[in-house]
Short mmCIF file of all heavy atoms in Angstrom, two decimals:
data_model
loop_
_atom_site.label_atom_id
_atom_site.label_comp_id
_atom_site.label_asym_id
_atom_site.label_seq_id
_atom_site.Cartn_x
_atom_site.Cartn_y
_atom_site.Cartn_z
N LEU C 15 154.17 148.38 282.39
CA LEU C 15 154.59 149.55 281.61
C LEU C 15 155.76 149.22 280.73
O LEU C 15 156.77 148.70 281.21
CB LEU C 15 154.96 150.72 282.54
CG LEU C 15 155.57 151.95 281.88
CD1 LEU C 15 154.56 152.61 280.93
CD2 LEU C 15 156.04 152.95 282.93
N ALA C 16 155.62 149.47 279.44
CA ALA C 16 156.70 149.29 278.47
C ALA C 16 157.26 150.67 278.10
O ALA C 16 156.51 151.59 277.81
CB ALA C 16 156.20 148.58 277.24
N VAL C 17 158.58 150.80 278.16
CA VAL C 17 159.26 152.06 277.83
C VAL C 17 160.34 151.79 276.77
O VAL C 17 161.16 150.92 276.96
CB VAL C 17 159.90 152.69 279.08
CG1 VAL C 17 160.52 154.04 278.73
CG2 VAL C 17 158.89 152.84 280.21
N LEU C 18 160.33 152.58 275.72
CA LEU C 18 161.27 152.39 274.63
C LEU C 18 162.35 153.47 274.68
O LEU C 18 162.08 154.60 275.05
CB LEU C 18 160.53 152.47 273.31
CG LEU C 18 161.25 152.00 272.04
CD1 LEU C 18 161.53 150.51 272.09
CD2 LEU C 18 160.41 152.35 270.83
N ASP C 19 163.57 153.07 274.32
CA ASP C 19 164.62 154.05 274.05
C ASP C 19 165.41 153.59 272.85
O ASP C 19 165.01 152.62 272.18
CB ASP C 19 165.51 154.29 275.28
CG ASP C 19 166.28 153.04 275.72
OD1 ASP C 19 166.42 152.10 274.94
OD2 ASP C 19 166.74 153.01 276.89
N ARG C 20 166.51 154.27 272.54
CA ARG C 20 167.27 153.92 271.36
C ARG C 20 168.13 152.68 271.52
O ARG C 20 168.79 152.25 270.58
CB ARG C 20 168.16 155.10 270.96
CG ARG C 20 167.40 156.38 270.66
CD ARG C 20 166.57 156.25 269.40
NE ARG C 20 167.39 156.09 268.23
CZ ARG C 20 166.94 155.81 267.01
NH1 ARG C 20 165.65 155.62 266.87
NH2 ARG C 20 167.73 155.71 266.00
N VAL C 21 168.12 152.11 272.71
CA VAL C 21 168.91 150.92 272.96
C VAL C 21 168.03 149.69 273.14
O VAL C 21 168.41 148.61 272.73
CB VAL C 21 169.79 151.13 274.24
CG1 VAL C 21 170.59 149.88 274.54
CG2 VAL C 21 170.70 152.33 274.04
N GLY C 22 166.89 149.85 273.72
CA GLY C 22 166.08 148.66 273.94
C GLY C 22 164.72 148.97 274.54
O GLY C 22 164.25 150.12 274.50
N LEU C 23 164.11 147.94 275.06
CA LEU C 23 162.77 148.01 275.60
C LEU C 23 162.79 147.55 277.05
O LEU C 23 163.33 146.48 277.36
CB LEU C 23 161.84 147.11 274.78
CG LEU C 23 160.36 147.01 275.22
CD1 LEU C 23 159.66 148.31 274.93
CD2 LEU C 23 159.68 145.86 274.49
N SER C 24 162.27 148.36 277.95
CA SER C 24 162.20 148.01 279.35
C SER C 24 160.77 147.79 279.75
O SER C 24 159.87 148.52 279.35
CB SER C 24 162.81 149.14 280.21
OG SER C 24 164.15 149.31 279.92
N ILE C 25 160.53 146.78 280.59
CA ILE C 25 159.20 146.49 281.12
C ILE C 25 159.26 146.66 282.62
O ILE C 25 160.13 146.11 283.30
CB ILE C 25 158.76 145.06 280.78
CG1 ILE C 25 158.82 144.80 279.29
CG2 ILE C 25 157.35 144.80 281.32
CD1 ILE C 25 157.85 145.62 278.47
N TYR C 26 158.30 147.45 283.17
CA TYR C 26 158.27 147.70 284.61
C TYR C 26 156.95 147.20 285.20
O TYR C 26 155.92 147.29 284.57
CB TYR C 26 158.35 149.21 284.87
CG TYR C 26 159.68 149.82 284.50
CD1 TYR C 26 159.89 150.33 283.21
CD2 TYR C 26 160.72 149.89 285.40
CE1 TYR C 26 161.09 150.89 282.86
CE2 TYR C 26 161.94 150.46 285.05
CZ TYR C 26 162.12 150.95 283.76
OH TYR C 26 163.32 151.50 283.39
N GLN C 27 157.06 146.70 286.43
CA GLN C 27 155.86 146.45 287.22
C GLN C 27 155.97 147.25 288.52
O GLN C 27 157.08 147.55 288.98
CB GLN C 27 155.65 144.98 287.47
CG GLN C 27 156.68 144.30 288.35
CD GLN C 27 156.44 142.83 288.52
OE1 GLN C 27 156.33 142.10 287.53
NE2 GLN C 27 156.29 142.40 289.76
N PHE C 28 154.83 147.59 289.09
CA PHE C 28 154.79 148.50 290.23
C PHE C 28 154.16 147.82 291.42
O PHE C 28 153.32 146.91 291.28
CB PHE C 28 154.01 149.78 289.86
CG PHE C 28 154.71 150.66 288.91
CD1 PHE C 28 154.74 150.34 287.55
CD2 PHE C 28 155.34 151.82 289.31
CE1 PHE C 28 155.40 151.16 286.64
CE2 PHE C 28 156.02 152.62 288.43
CZ PHE C 28 156.05 152.30 287.10
N GLU C 29 154.56 148.29 292.60
CA GLU C 29 153.92 147.83 293.81
C GLU C 29 152.44 148.20 293.79
O GLU C 29 152.04 149.19 293.16
CB GLU C 29 154.54 148.48 295.04
CG GLU C 29 155.97 148.04 295.33
CD GLU C 29 156.54 148.76 296.53
OE1 GLU C 29 155.86 149.70 297.01
OE2 GLU C 29 157.63 148.40 296.98
N ALA C 30 151.65 147.43 294.50
CA ALA C 30 150.24 147.78 294.67
C ALA C 30 150.14 149.05 295.46
O ALA C 30 150.99 149.40 296.26
CB ALA C 30 149.49 146.65 295.36
N ALA C 31 149.03 149.76 295.27
CA ALA C 31 148.81 151.01 295.99
C ALA C 31 148.69 150.72 297.48
O ALA C 31 148.13 149.72 297.91
CB ALA C 31 147.52 151.68 295.51
N PRO C 32 149.21 151.63 298.33
CA PRO C 32 149.01 151.46 299.75
C PRO C 32 147.55 151.59 300.12
O PRO C 32 146.76 152.20 299.40
CB PRO C 32 149.83 152.64 300.35
CG PRO C 32 149.89 153.63 299.25
CD PRO C 32 149.94 152.86 297.98
N THR C 33 147.19 151.00 301.26
CA THR C 33 145.80 151.07 301.71
C THR C 33 145.40 152.51 301.96
O THR C 33 146.11 153.28 302.59
CB THR C 33 145.64 150.26 303.01
OG1 THR C 33 146.04 148.91 302.77
CG2 THR C 33 144.18 150.29 303.47
N ARG C 34 144.21 152.88 301.44
CA ARG C 34 143.74 154.26 301.57
C ARG C 34 142.73 154.33 302.71
O ARG C 34 141.96 153.40 302.97
CB ARG C 34 143.03 154.72 300.32
CG ARG C 34 143.90 154.84 299.09
CD ARG C 34 142.99 155.22 297.94
NE ARG C 34 143.74 155.29 296.70
CZ ARG C 34 144.39 156.37 296.30
NH1 ARG C 34 144.42 157.42 297.05
NH2 ARG C 34 145.05 156.36 295.16
N SER C 35 142.63 155.45 303.36
CA SER C 35 141.47 155.74 304.20
C SER C 35 140.38 156.29 303.31
O SER C 35 140.61 156.71 302.17
CB SER C 35 141.85 156.78 305.26
OG SER C 35 142.09 158.05 304.66
N ASP C 36 139.17 156.30 303.80
CA ASP C 36 138.05 156.77 303.01
C ASP C 36 138.20 158.25 302.63
O ASP C 36 137.59 158.72 301.65
CB ASP C 36 136.74 156.59 303.77
CG ASP C 36 136.38 155.11 303.90
OD1 ASP C 36 136.91 154.31 303.10
OD2 ASP C 36 135.58 154.79 304.79
N THR C 37 138.98 158.98 303.39
CA THR C 37 139.12 160.41 303.12
C THR C 37 140.40 160.74 302.38
O THR C 37 140.68 161.90 302.12
CB THR C 37 139.13 161.20 304.45
OG1 THR C 37 140.20 160.73 305.29
CG2 THR C 37 137.81 160.98 305.19
N ALA C 38 141.18 159.70 302.00
CA ALA C 38 142.43 159.96 301.30
C ALA C 38 142.14 160.61 299.94
O ALA C 38 141.24 160.21 299.25
CB ALA C 38 143.22 158.68 301.12
N THR C 39 142.94 161.62 299.63
CA THR C 39 142.75 162.30 298.36
C THR C 39 144.01 162.34 297.53
O THR C 39 144.00 162.85 296.41
CB THR C 39 142.30 163.76 298.58
OG1 THR C 39 143.26 164.45 299.38
CG2 THR C 39 140.95 163.80 299.27
N ALA C 40 145.11 161.81 298.04
CA ALA C 40 146.34 161.78 297.28
C ALA C 40 147.13 160.54 297.66
O ALA C 40 146.88 159.91 298.69
CB ALA C 40 147.19 163.02 297.56
N GLN C 41 148.06 160.16 296.82
CA GLN C 41 148.87 158.99 297.11
C GLN C 41 149.72 159.20 298.34
O GLN C 41 150.11 160.33 298.65
CB GLN C 41 149.76 158.67 295.91
CG GLN C 41 149.01 158.42 294.61
CD GLN C 41 148.24 157.12 294.62
OE1 GLN C 41 148.21 156.42 295.63
NE2 GLN C 41 147.58 156.80 293.55
N ASP C 42 150.02 158.12 299.03
CA ASP C 42 150.98 158.19 300.11
C ASP C 42 152.38 158.20 299.47
O ASP C 42 152.57 158.79 298.43
CB ASP C 42 150.81 156.97 301.04
CG ASP C 42 149.43 157.00 301.69
OD1 ASP C 42 148.91 158.12 301.93
OD2 ASP C 42 148.90 155.94 301.94
N ALA C 43 153.33 157.52 300.04
CA ALA C 43 154.68 157.51 299.46
C ALA C 43 154.62 156.95 298.06
O ALA C 43 153.76 156.14 297.72
CB ALA C 43 155.59 156.66 300.33
N GLY C 44 155.55 157.40 297.21
CA GLY C 44 155.57 156.98 295.83
C GLY C 44 155.73 155.47 295.68
O GLY C 44 156.39 154.81 296.45
N ARG C 45 155.08 154.90 294.67
CA ARG C 45 155.20 153.47 294.41
C ARG C 45 156.63 153.13 294.01
O ARG C 45 157.31 153.93 293.39
CB ARG C 45 154.26 153.06 293.27
CG ARG C 45 152.86 153.50 293.44
CD ARG C 45 152.15 152.75 294.57
NE ARG C 45 150.81 153.27 294.66
CZ ARG C 45 150.49 154.30 295.44
NH1 ARG C 45 151.41 154.91 296.17
NH2 ARG C 45 149.26 154.74 295.45
N GLN C 46 157.04 151.92 294.30
CA GLN C 46 158.33 151.44 293.82
C GLN C 46 158.13 150.80 292.45
O GLN C 46 157.17 150.07 292.23
CB GLN C 46 158.91 150.42 294.80
CG GLN C 46 159.38 151.03 296.10
CD GLN C 46 160.61 151.89 295.91
OE1 GLN C 46 161.55 151.51 295.26
NE2 GLN C 46 160.57 153.09 296.49
N ALA C 47 159.01 151.08 291.53
CA ALA C 47 158.97 150.47 290.23
C ALA C 47 160.06 149.43 290.16
O ALA C 47 161.21 149.69 290.52
CB ALA C 47 159.19 151.52 289.14
N GLU C 48 159.72 148.22 289.73
CA GLU C 48 160.70 147.18 289.56
C GLU C 48 160.92 146.94 288.08
O GLU C 48 159.96 146.83 287.30
CB GLU C 48 160.25 145.90 290.26
CG GLU C 48 160.16 146.03 291.77
CD GLU C 48 159.82 144.72 292.45
OE1 GLU C 48 159.30 143.84 291.76
OE2 GLU C 48 160.10 144.59 293.64
N LEU C 49 162.15 146.87 287.67
CA LEU C 49 162.47 146.56 286.27
C LEU C 49 162.27 145.08 286.09
O LEU C 49 163.08 144.25 286.49
CB LEU C 49 163.92 146.96 285.96
CG LEU C 49 164.42 146.64 284.55
CD1 LEU C 49 163.55 147.36 283.52
CD2 LEU C 49 165.87 147.05 284.39
N ALA C 50 161.12 144.73 285.51
CA ALA C 50 160.81 143.30 285.34
C ALA C 50 161.74 142.65 284.34
O ALA C 50 162.16 141.51 284.53
CB ALA C 50 159.34 143.16 284.89
N THR C 51 162.05 143.32 283.28
CA THR C 51 162.97 142.80 282.29
C THR C 51 163.39 143.91 281.33
O THR C 51 162.73 144.94 281.24
CB THR C 51 162.33 141.65 281.47
OG1 THR C 51 163.30 141.06 280.61
CG2 THR C 51 161.18 142.14 280.65
N ARG C 52 164.48 143.72 280.66
CA ARG C 52 164.94 144.66 279.63
C ARG C 52 165.49 143.88 278.48
O ARG C 52 166.28 142.94 278.67
CB ARG C 52 165.98 145.64 280.17
CG ARG C 52 166.48 146.61 279.10
CD ARG C 52 167.33 147.71 279.70
NE ARG C 52 167.94 148.54 278.70
CZ ARG C 52 167.32 149.53 278.07
NH1 ARG C 52 166.07 149.81 278.36
NH2 ARG C 52 167.93 150.28 277.16
#
């Protein structure tokens, strides 16, 4: 994910999704976003 602001450009990568059960209908805990570079 690339995000722009008036100062610069940030690139984020995210953790992989947690393992789902076959009946899962929503995400578990929120993914962690890591600032890969700015």
Side-chain angles (χ1 to χ4, degrees):
L15 172 63
V17 183
L18 193 66
D19 63 19
R20 300 292 295 171
V21 178
L23 179 70
S24 297
I25 305 294
Y26 294 90
Q27 65 182 56
F28 290 77
E29 291 179 352
T33 302
R34 294 176 182 275
S35 69
D36 291 341
T37 58
T39 58
Q41 301 290 4
D42 297 328
R45 309 291 178 271
Q46 290 291 313
E48 294 185 340
L49 178 60
T51 186
R52 179 170 174 81

